[in-house]
């Protein structure tokens, strides 16, 4: 042991002589990170990406990104002798003739699905808790960029094996390119090296897939993590947590073990899934040919919403001055996603402009405490889910035995009607949760114990809330809508910006308007005193009552606090007998 | 880097538990409650048990790695295993390798997490944050260094240098873009985009068996995928699928009185109609024909075309009718095209109607 310690010391000295790294290590290893399950979502994304890099590198050793036609002569009997591209043939080889090749392919594909899923849920966590607020707006922006690139990487990878499904996906992508006004035809001509499908696209996508996009993702992930490190992680409100501190565990040893272990857990689970569940069985689809298609084919899940948008759009096309514009394709496949991603990217600046909030925020919001933001989020999510359902309208039609037309029309209307409804409902739920929080502070926790008073009235007994909960509830941030600006200043000069500020103030009132404020300190003190009094009064009654069994008429008691004082128990039994006798009389 | 050094003073303050650490709207927010020891902190036997659990997981991982190597050497990639309860088989090699390797990795992770949770200290530590902005003085100093440097460079005064540099910088990426020109083989060839292999007299053969088609081969209500007879030859000559992506057609036959309209007078042959198989939406091949309604449905986004009515769209996102191919028979009695399509097939594009 001491030999290893000595060797370690020597190595550390060697490094420090050259880099003066001791201080850096001291600070880094002792760095504190807060702990919460929702902070693992970003970790899952990161670890899936590492798994993707490892498995993808494996695949490159055998995959041939070539569209040259070859005759297949591998182990998969049903396709022996069939003409296909070298890309497809080499993917079959990876699947059937390279030991562990199928496993690596399936690890790669599953990890890609988990990657996009983890990024998406991580993004929702960041949105609904307001973690994107100052000073973290740029990390939000990087996150939106990462999501976009993940979709591109996934689509490019899905297209590489050149099977029937991936070729059909590329055909759709080319059709979408063509719909871009003015430059679309050129774009397609350049991307495909001439007509569709040509013989260049697979090798070009290959460079994009294994070098360009992963390289940018890697750079952005690095920047993302450096920012988290430098600005320190946000934390949820709670006892001891303030906007000026970080409460949690040190990197060494807790997060070394936990995060390191979690990487292995993610990698292990992905591998298990890849061993047990088939994904993208390209041999079943056959090689790509532009004149065949399989019914009911579905893209990977993260493309579903775009597919849905394409399906729902009414068929509008116009010819202006002899130029053709396919609104039916351009709007759902280019304009809608463009707007969605732009809105997402700019949201932090929108919110801080509306609210006039320029403070640093290191304590996360509970979603209920910002009902408008939460409502906007649920509204966007509803929109996304409706599009996603649209992407599977044929499957749904078959499954529920309704017509595709009916579903399509329902969604065409629903896409405009349901999101605003979701907004209103969410906002209301948030506000009633806020109200309940306030109730809790003022009247304590409902114990679930109901007591019948001697004169027959039933009351529910309240208990004090825990220190943790009290800290969380009392951390509810104060919000102030912006005041209406004066239209003229003290000297009677017209305020030129008044119009814009008026709009901003209206928006801010809309944003914060219905907030349920915390009780004032005086109200809370009075409530605390009242609760203490109530507890003092009810405790003896309750002690007696809980000695009775649950179910005894008039008393519903929590068995957890049964007393073992024999005298009390005897008294309680007597009381119960009397009550039962009474009940007997009542019945007869 | 900021100063992240552990600050023992700040952590001890929080440990007392009830201290007020912050105020919000006049309320005191309670500090960290006292640390509650875990079973493994107070009971040495529980700690020992946890230690054994962790070690066991690491050992299980090692065992799985050994099993992986055995499976790799022993199981051929083409072996299959039956799946109990499902009437199916799975790839034996993939399953064995995935399960052993997966567990080998997973147990390392599970062991480490268990170790951290049960045996490493779980007392929360407090570190202070520092405001992220610099002081005004620091900002001023940084600005000064910048402007001093800028002045020394003379970037501001030496106009001609500045302008010529900007010009050079503005121009130098141009070659990078220009060189992308040869991504495309030549100028945009609209002719190629608007033509297909079909021409007057092209014989129609079935796809994929490539048999010439006599009218009698297409019964009423029948549907046949077809292509021009020289397609395979051209495909091999050109070494790509471009011709196939445009020339694919579908033949259907209906009672002549069921035909309500066609894109050209008499473009059918005795009720046999030929339509492009490439969807006018974004180009999927269309496959699903309902003979009762004469509707052809695209499986990609459910555009539906009425083949008895000029191939017009009756539902879905496609905006244009499927192009119809005029056909007849040659002297041997086989179906042939009378010309190419009179419009581009497949998805619309900007110059389509020029
Ligand atoms: C950045 C995130 C990435 C994503 C989301 C992703 C996703 C995918 C997907 C979905 C496939 C289709 C797999 C199939 O079912 O056959 C694929 C194929 C492939 N990927 Fe990736 N990939 C990524 C990065 C990489 C990297 C970094 C490499 C190489 C270093 C790589 C190498 C490959 C290769 C060689 C193929 C084709 C072989 C095959 O399909 O079996 N990928 N990728
Ligand atoms: S490609 Fe046919 S409906 Fe979209």
């Amino acid at each position: 042991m001491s030999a290893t310690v000595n060797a370690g010391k020597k190595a550390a000295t060697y490094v420090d002589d050259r880099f003066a790294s001791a201080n850096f290590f001291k600070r880094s290893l002792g760095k504190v990170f807060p702990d919460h399950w929702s902070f693992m979502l970003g970790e899952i994304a990161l670890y899936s990406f590492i798994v993707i890099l490892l498995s993808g590198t494996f695949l490159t050793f055998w995959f041939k990104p070539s569209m040259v036609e070859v005759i297949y002569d591998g182990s998969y009997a049903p396709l022996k002798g069939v003409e296909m591209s070298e890309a497809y043939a080499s993917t079959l080889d990876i699947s059937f003739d390279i030991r562990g090749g199928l496993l690596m392919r399936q690890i790669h594909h599953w990890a890609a699905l988990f990657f996009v899923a983890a990024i998406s849920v991580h993004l929702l966590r960041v949105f609904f808790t307001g973690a994107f607020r100052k000073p973290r707006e740029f990390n939000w922006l990087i996150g939106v960029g990462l999501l976009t690139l993940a979709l591109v990487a996934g689509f490019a990878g899905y297209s590489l094996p050149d099977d029937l499904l991936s070729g059909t996906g590329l055909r759709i992508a080319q059709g979408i390119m063509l719909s871009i006004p003015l430059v679309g035809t050129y774009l397609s001509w350049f991307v495909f090296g001439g007509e569709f499908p040509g013989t260049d696209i697979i090798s070009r996508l290959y460079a994009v897939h294994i070098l360009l996009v992963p390289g940018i993702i890697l750079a952005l992930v690095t920047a993302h993590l450096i920012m988290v490190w430098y600005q320190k992680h946000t934390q949820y409100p709670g006892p001891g947590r303030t906007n000026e501190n970080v409460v949690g565990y040190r990197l060494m040893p807790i997060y070394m073990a936990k995060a390191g272990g979690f990487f292995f857990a993610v990698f292990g689970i992905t591998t298990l899934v890849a061993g047990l569940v088939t994904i993208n069985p390209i041999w079943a689809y056959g090689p790509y040919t532009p004149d065949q298609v399989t019914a009911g084919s579905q893209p990977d899940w993260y493309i579903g919403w775009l597919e849905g948008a394409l399906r729902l759009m009414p068929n509008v096309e116009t010819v202006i001055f002899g130029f053709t514009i396919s609104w039916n394709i351009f709007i759902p496949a280019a304009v809608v996603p463009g707007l969605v991603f732009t809105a997402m990217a700019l949201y932090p600046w929108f919110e801080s402009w509306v609210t006039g909030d320029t403070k640093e925020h290191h304590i996360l919001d509970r979603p209920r405490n910002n009902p408008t933001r939460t409502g906007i989020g649920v509204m966007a999510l509803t929109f996304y889910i409706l599009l996603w359902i649209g992407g599977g309208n044929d499957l749904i039609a078959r499954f529920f035995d309704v017509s595709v037309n009916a579903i399509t029309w329902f969604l065409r209307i629903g896409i405009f009607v349901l999101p605003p409804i979701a907004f209103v409902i969410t906002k209301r739920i948030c506000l009633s949760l806020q109200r309940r929080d306030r109730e809790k502070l003022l009247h304590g926790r409902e114990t679930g114990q109901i007591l019948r008073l001697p004169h027959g009235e039933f009351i529910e007994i309240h208990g004090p809330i825990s220190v943790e909960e009290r800290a969380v509830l009392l951390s509810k941030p104060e919000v102030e809508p912006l005041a209406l600006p004066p239209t003229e200043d003290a000297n009677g000069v017209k305020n030129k910006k008044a119009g814009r500020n008026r709009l901003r103030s209206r928006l801010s009132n809309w944003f914060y308007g219905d907030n349920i404020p915390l009780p004032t300190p005086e109200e809370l003190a009075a409530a605390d005193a009242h609760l203490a009094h109530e507890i003092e009064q009810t405790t003896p009654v309750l002690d007696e009552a809980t000695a009775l069994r649950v179910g005894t008429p008039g008393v519903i008691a929590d068995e957890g606090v049964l007393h073992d004082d024999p005298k009390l128990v005897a008294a309680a039994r007597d009381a119960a007998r009397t009550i039962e006798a009474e009940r007997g009389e009542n019945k007869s | 880097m900021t100063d992240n050094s552990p600050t023992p003073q700040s952590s001890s303050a929080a440990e007392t538990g009830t201290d007020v650490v912050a105020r919000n709207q006049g309320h005191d927010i309670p500090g960290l409650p006292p640390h509650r020891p875990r079973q493994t902190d107070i009971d040495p036997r529980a700690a020992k048990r946890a230690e054994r659990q962790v070690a066991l997981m690491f050992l299980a991982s090692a065992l799985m790695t050994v099993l992986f190597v055995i499976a790799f050497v022993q199981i051929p990639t083409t072996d299959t295993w039956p799946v109990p309860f499902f009437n199916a088989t799975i790839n034996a090699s993939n399953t064995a390798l995935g399960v052993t390797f997966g567990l080998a990795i997973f147990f390392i992770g599970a062991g480490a997490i268990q170790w951290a949770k049960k045996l490493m200290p779980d007392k929360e530590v407090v570190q202070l944050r520092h405001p992220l902005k610099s002081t005004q003085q620091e900002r001023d100093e940084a600005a000064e260094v910048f402007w001093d440097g800028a002045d020394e460079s003379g970037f501001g005064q030496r106009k001609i240098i500045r302008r010529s540099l900007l010009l050079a910088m503005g121009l130098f990426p141009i070659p990078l873009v220009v060189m992308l020109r040869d991504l495309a083989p030549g100028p945009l060839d609209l002719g190629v985009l608007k033509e297909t292999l079909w021409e007057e007299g092209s014989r129609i053969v079935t796809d994929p068996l490539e048999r010439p088609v006599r009218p009698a081969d297409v019964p009423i209500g029948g549907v046949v995928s077809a292509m021009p007879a020289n397609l395979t030859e051209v495909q091999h000559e050109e070494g790509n699928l471009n011709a196939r992506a445009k020339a694919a057609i579908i033949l259907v036959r209906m009672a002549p009185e069921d035909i309500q309209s066609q894109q050209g007078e008499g473009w059918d042959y005795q009720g046999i109609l030929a339509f492009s198989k490439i969807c006018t939406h974004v180009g999927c091949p269309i496959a699903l024909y309902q003979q009762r309604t004469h509707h052809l449905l695209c499986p990609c986004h459910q555009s539906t075309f009425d083949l008895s009515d000029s191939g017009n769209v009756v539902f879905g996102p496609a905006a244009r009718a499927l192009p119809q191919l005029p056909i007849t028979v040659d002297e041997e009695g086989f179906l042939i095209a009378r010309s190419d399509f009179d419009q581009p097939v497949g998805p619309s594009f900007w110059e389509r109607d020029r």
Side-chain angles (χ1 to χ4, degrees):
Chain A
M1 187 67 199
S2 79
T4 6
V5 172
N6 263 338
K9 219 177 198 168
K10 264 193 184 156
T13 311
Y14 188 88
V15 173
D16 190 68
D17 280 350
R18 282 147 185 88
F19 299 100
S21 48
N23 241 322
F24 173 74
F25 273 110
K26 187 187 96 187
R27 279 192 263 117
S28 308
L29 294 179
K31 196 172 174 67
V32 169
F33 286 92
D35 209 16
H36 191 264
W37 66 265
S38 71
F39 299 162
M40 293 195 317
L41 296 165
E43 274 186 77
I44 298 180
L46 175 66
Y47 302 148
S48 311
F49 181 59
I50 298 174
V51 173
I52 286 176
L53 291 180
L54 292 173
S55 56
T57 305
F58 244 84
L59 294 176
T60 59
F61 297 152
W62 295 281
F63 179 72
K64 300 195 180 72
S66 146
M67 294 171 89
V68 170
E69 295 281 304
V70 295
I71 306 286
Y72 178 68
D73 188 29
S75 303
Y76 186 62
L79 289 175
K80 250 193 176 50
V82 171
E83 210 178 314
M84 59 181 65
S85 71
E86 217 174 349
Y88 185 65
S90 66
T91 312
L92 287 175
D93 289 344
I94 291 173
S95 307
F96 292 105
D97 293 288
I98 311 289
R99 282 179 285 178
L102 180 58
L103 184 64
M104 278 298 163
R105 258 197 71 228
Q106 307 211 106
I107 290 178
H108 194 68
H109 204 129
W110 277 115
L113 297 180
F114 294 155
F115 181 50
V116 187
I119 295 182
S120 312
V121 185
H122 171 59
L123 187 137
L124 291 179
R125 195 281 290 171
V126 169
F127 182 84
F128 284 114
T129 59
F132 56 80
R133 287 171 299 172
K134 185 181 173 185
R136 298 183 176 76
E137 303 95 328
F138 286 100
N139 235 6
W140 167 266
L141 205 55
I142 290 187
V144 174
L146 281 169
L147 175 63
T148 319
L149 288 167
L151 300 183
V152 174
F155 182 80
Y158 190 81
S159 306
L160 288 180
D162 205 19
D163 58 279
L164 193 56
L165 281 193
S166 79
T168 305
L170 271 179
R171 173 82 236 208
I172 294 173
Q174 192 252 356
I176 291 169
M177 264 180 229
L178 289 180
S179 76
I180 302 173
L182 195 63
V183 295
T185 322
Y186 283 91
L187 190 64
S188 159
W189 192 255
F190 278 86
V191 168
F192 286 85
E195 273 192 287
F196 176 88
T199 51
D200 294 330
I201 188 67
I202 299 278
S203 52
R204 288 178 184 178
L205 278 179
Y206 191 55
V208 168
H209 181 74
I210 72 163
L211 180 70
L212 200 60
V213 174
I216 303 175
I217 291 183
L218 196 59
L220 288 184
V221 165
T222 311
H224 201 69
L225 295 180
I226 288 177
M227 281 202 219
V228 170
W229 189 275
Y230 187 75
Q231 299 182 323
K232 296 201 170 97
H233 207 291
T234 50
Q235 58 192 351
Y236 283 95
R241 278 117 173 113
T242 74
N243 209 33
E244 284 80 38
N245 71 9
V246 189
V247 182
Y249 304 109
R250 293 196 195 284
L251 181 64
M252 181 80 184
I254 301 296
Y255 281 105
M256 284 282 181
K258 266 197 182 170
F262 199 53
F263 164 68
F264 280 92
V266 169
F267 191 1
I269 289 170
T270 310
T271 308
L272 277 173
V273 172
L276 295 171
V277 192
T278 303
I279 184 81
N280 202 16
I282 47 111
W283 53 88
Y285 310 140
Y288 178 61
T289 163
D291 54 355
Q292 272 169 38
V293 72
T294 50
S297 60
Q298 289 291 320
D300 272 349
W301 75 266
Y302 44 81
I303 304 290
W305 68 290
L306 291 174
E307 173 96 355
L310 268 180
R311 290 183 185 198
L312 297 189
M313 181 73 192
N315 57 348
V316 192
E317 178 176 301
T318 51
V319 179
I320 303 174
F321 303 124
F323 293 111
T324 311
I325 308 179
S326 303
W327 305 106
N328 55 339
I329 305 161
F330 183 61
I331 288 181
V335 175
V336 168
L339 287 178
V340 165
F341 278 94
T342 311
M344 205 149 68
L346 297 182
Y347 183 80
W349 287 275
F350 166 75
E351 190 182 303
S352 75
W353 180 75
V354 167
T355 58
D357 182 358
T358 54
K359 291 194 288 285
E360 273 186 26
H361 292 280
H362 304 293
I363 296 275
L364 295 170
D365 268 337
R366 303 171 80 208
R368 69 185 63 176
N369 285 344
N370 201 319
T372 308
R373 178 202 299 142
T374 305
I376 292 175
V378 174
M379 180 165 79
L381 206 57
T382 309
F383 177 76
Y384 179 90
I385 289 171
L386 288 173
L387 286 185
W388 200 72
I389 292 174
N393 61 356
D394 53 333
L395 299 187
I396 294 170
R398 203 170 332 140
F399 192 78
F400 292 106
D401 202 20
V402 282
S403 84
V404 176
N405 304 22
I407 295 177
T408 303
W409 270 109
F410 171 77
L411 290 172
R412 277 177 182 173
I413 297 167
I415 207 95
F416 293 102
V417 175
L418 295 178
I421 293 180
F423 174 83
V424 171
I425 294 179
T426 307
K427 201 164 166 181
R428 292 214 170 161
I429 293 176
C430 286
L431 288 172
S432 62
L433 286 172
Q434 281 193 22
R435 233 169 263 130
R436 209 178 69 183
D437 286 350
R438 191 184 148 94
E439 285 293 293
K440 256 191 205 162
L441 277 174
L442 287 178
H443 302 299
R445 165 181 67 94
E446 289 169 359
T447 58
Q449 290 171 319
I450 310 244
L451 200 67
R452 193 174 70 172
L453 298 179
H455 56 277
E457 185 197 355
F458 286 93
I459 58 162
E460 170 151 28
I461 296 175
H462 288 97
I465 55 176
S466 68
V467 177
E468 282 86 354
E469 195 172 7
R470 195 178 167 92
V472 171
L473 298 184
L474 285 180
S475 302
K476 180 173 190 296
E478 189 171 20
V479 297
E480 270 175 275
L482 295 173
L484 273 179
T487 41
E488 10 185 83
D489 68 10
N491 304 327
V493 180
K494 263 223 161 149
N495 183 353
K496 287 201 194 100
K497 284 193 191 150
R500 225 178 85 205
N501 285 342
R502 192 169 290 263
L503 166 73
R504 189 171 162 200
S505 148
R506 286 237 177 78
L507 277 173
S508 146
N509 271 294
W510 163 74
F511 203 92
Y512 279 151
D514 311 309
N515 186 53
I516 313 286
L518 274 184
T520 62
E522 295 73 41
E523 282 174 320
L524 193 59
D528 280 350
H530 179 82
L531 183 64
H533 180 70
E534 186 188 312
I535 291 171
E536 200 179 298
Q537 293 249 301
T538 49
T539 307
V541 190
L542 193 63
D543 281 351
E544 212 174 302
T546 45
L548 299 170
R549 275 208 201 83
V550 174
T552 312
V555 181
I556 304 158
D558 182 352
E559 274 202 295
V561 280
L562 272 181
H563 281 258
D564 49 8
D565 179 346
K567 263 196 229 148
L568 212 91
V569 173
R573 279 218 192 91
D574 280 343
R577 257 184 234 119
T578 327
I579 293 171
E580 250 160 316
E582 269 177 26
R583 194 164 59 171
E585 276 168 25
N586 287 349
K587 263 187 193 159
S588 59
Chain B
M1 284 276 136
T2 53
D3 174 20
N4 300 322
S5 56
T7 44
Q9 302 89 325
S10 62
S11 46
S12 66
E15 275 154 24
T16 55
T18 44
D19 291 22
V20 173
V21 295
R23 291 175 66 79
N24 179 31
Q25 299 165 59
H27 298 288
D28 295 335
I29 298 184
L32 277 182
H35 173 249
R36 285 190 212 98
R38 294 161 298 184
Q39 195 63 24
T40 44
D41 292 330
I42 44 180
D43 179 0
R45 275 181 320 183
K48 199 78 204 157
R49 221 168 22 242
E51 187 179 345
R52 273 198 304 270
Q53 272 174 6
V54 173
L56 212 61
M57 288 198 235
F58 289 156
L59 287 175
S61 162
L63 174 69
M64 285 299 154
T65 304
V66 173
L67 290 182
F68 173 90
V69 175
I70 295 173
F72 185 86
V73 177
Q74 291 292 329
I75 306 177
T77 50
T78 43
D79 274 15
T80 54
W81 285 335
V83 184
F85 310 115
F86 290 90
N87 188 15
T89 58
I90 44 170
N91 183 308
S93 163
N94 184 58
T95 309
L97 297 182
V99 169
T100 52
F101 189 33
L103 288 177
I105 308 167
F106 179 77
F107 278 133
I108 293 179
I113 293 171
Q114 181 76 346
W115 182 7
K117 280 203 157 159
K118 288 279 165 75
L119 295 170
M120 295 183 189
D122 76 332
K123 198 182 266 183
E124 287 187 308
V125 181
V126 180
Q127 253 175 15
L128 294 182
R129 288 179 197 274
H130 306 277
L132 285 162
K133 62 177 179 198
S134 320
T135 61
Q136 192 54 45
Q137 189 190 351
E138 285 165 328
R139 288 180 180 180
D140 293 344
E141 282 167 9
E144 201 177 307
V145 172
F146 176 82
W147 286 117
D148 282 355
D151 283 347
E152 285 168 16
S153 75
F155 191 78
Q157 290 88 45
R158 299 187 197 284
K159 257 189 206 158
I160 181 154
I161 291 194
R162 189 174 73 223
R163 290 194 180 154
S164 53
L165 175 64
L166 289 179
L167 177 72
M169 293 290 282
L171 293 186
F172 104 92
I174 287 179
L176 297 178
V177 178
V178 168
M179 279 188 285
L180 291 177
R181 171 62 190 84
D182 285 351
L183 277 176
L188 179 62
D189 188 345
L190 288 178
V192 165
L193 291 181
K194 293 182 180 179
E195 284 162 11
T196 77
L197 219 50
W198 295 107
E199 56 191 7
E200 185 177 354
S202 296
R203 199 170 257 184
I204 297 173
V205 298
T206 58
D207 179 11
L209 294 179
E210 307 199 23
R211 295 218 183 87
V213 190
R214 284 179 198 283
D217 298 337
V218 190
I220 286 189
V223 52
V224 176
S225 277
M227 59 189 197
N230 58 344
L231 180 63
T232 307
E233 193 190 322
V234 171
Q235 181 177 321
H236 285 153
E237 227 166 68
E238 294 182 342
N240 61 41
L241 299 168
N242 300 1
R244 188 177 284 271
K246 289 183 296 186
I249 59 165
I250 196 157
L251 295 174
V252 292
R253 187 170 200 169
M254 51 191 86
E257 63 272 19
D258 282 349
I259 302 179
Q260 298 164 33
S261 74
Q262 297 189 55
Q263 293 179 11
E265 181 105 27
W267 280 12
D268 69 315
Y269 184 78
Q270 297 177 354
I272 300 178
L273 301 156
F275 284 95
S276 165
K277 198 182 174 183
I278 310 300
C279 186
T280 58
H281 182 221
V282 284
C284 282
I286 308 192
L288 310 171
Y289 182 61
Q290 254 190 337
Q291 53 159 284
R292 193 176 44 80
T293 54
H294 313 303
H295 284 178
L296 189 61
L297 177 89
C298 177
C300 281
H301 315 104
Q302 287 86 41
S303 288
T304 310
F305 303 86
D306 187 350
L307 300 192
S308 67
D309 182 19
S310 302
N312 283 332
V313 182
V314 288
F315 183 77
R320 278 181 301 100
L322 281 175
Q324 188 180 353
L325 186 74
I327 57 171
T328 180
V329 291
D330 59 14
E331 52 274 25
E332 292 171 60
F334 292 114
L335 289 176
I336 56 167
R338 279 163 51 186
S339 71
D340 194 357
F341 292 98
D342 69 341
Q343 54 176 316
V345 300
S348 296
F349 49 96
W350 179 248
E351 302 86 348
R352 179 196 134 85
D353 296 294
R354 299 289 290 177

